[in-house]
Amino acid sequence: MNAADQLRRLWAHAAWADTALRSALERAAGAPPVAVREYAHVLGVEEVWLSRLEQRPPATAVWPELTVAELAGLARRVQAGYTAYLDRLTESDLDRGVPYTNSAGLSFTTPVGDILLQVMLHGQYHRGKVNLLLREAGFAPAPVDFISFVRGVPAATTAGIPPAR
């Protein structure tokens, strides 16, 4: 498998994990607002990085303030955008530098491949935080490990384990 194909696979996992986590938030009536905010951040950052890759203004903030009900629309737009972008991605695109200015006002040029890895890794980090927040509030977390995606079943269960305190 070449690097572009591996990135498409990682995006498929990220989109699957975003959907699973959003479903967990939808089931968790009364989920902590900080968990919803954290998940909105995952989607916001995915959109901001996509806008940089596409060299256009971002359609949302890095920390968008959205309700659980509003998350689905942003998730659909982001997932469709990445799917279209990755469908066009070639192996030679991965080293192409993308100029952008970050949220702190600093300018950078970063290779496409590094941006895409950042998107995948950053999202998984924050999904873990959302799951911890759900567990601490007494709600079931979403099993979003890569191996769960590959196997089609959760890697492990934690039934009966009380929330961390």
Side-chain angles (χ1 to χ4, degrees):
M1 179 179 308
N2 67 34
D5 288 339
Q6 187 66 44
L7 287 165
R8 281 186 273 277
R9 188 172 187 216
L10 289 172
W11 173 251
H13 166 256
W16 170 85
D18 282 350
T19 300
L21 195 57
R22 189 178 71 253
S23 294
L25 286 167
E26 289 167 351
R27 286 189 305 274
V34 67
V36 176
R37 182 176 187 268
E38 196 76 28
Y39 177 70
H41 174 65
V42 172
L43 298 176
V45 167
E46 288 172 354
E47 162 42 36
V48 167
W49 279 113
L50 181 61
S51 74
R52 292 169 180 168
L53 289 165
E54 295 178 337
Q55 294 291 280
R56 61 170 173 77
T60 191
V62 170
W63 286 96
E65 296 200 18
L66 301 171
T67 65
V68 172
E70 294 169 324
L71 294 171
L74 178 55
R76 277 192 299 277
R77 290 188 303 277
V78 167
Q79 289 177 8
Y82 273 98
T83 298
Y85 182 85
L86 290 165
D87 282 349
R88 299 185 304 269
L89 187 72
T90 65
E91 199 69 14
S92 62
D93 291 331
L94 297 177
D95 292 326
R96 180 176 47 83
V98 176
Y100 61 93
T101 301
N102 72 5
S103 58
L106 302 173
S107 295
F108 297 94
T109 298
T110 303
V112 168
D114 288 348
I115 290 172
L116 291 169
L117 281 174
Q118 168 62 19
V119 169
M120 310 315 166
L121 296 171
H122 176 268
Q124 197 63 356
Y125 166 77
H126 285 281
R127 286 183 211 103
K129 289 176 68 176
V130 173
N131 272 330
L132 176 63
L133 291 164
L134 285 172
R135 179 172 293 290
E136 287 179 340
F139 296 106
V144 295
D145 285 353
F146 181 76
I147 200 68
S148 297
F149 167 74
V150 171
R151 290 180 185 160
V153 297
T157 61
T158 57
I161 298 175
R165 296 283 177 206

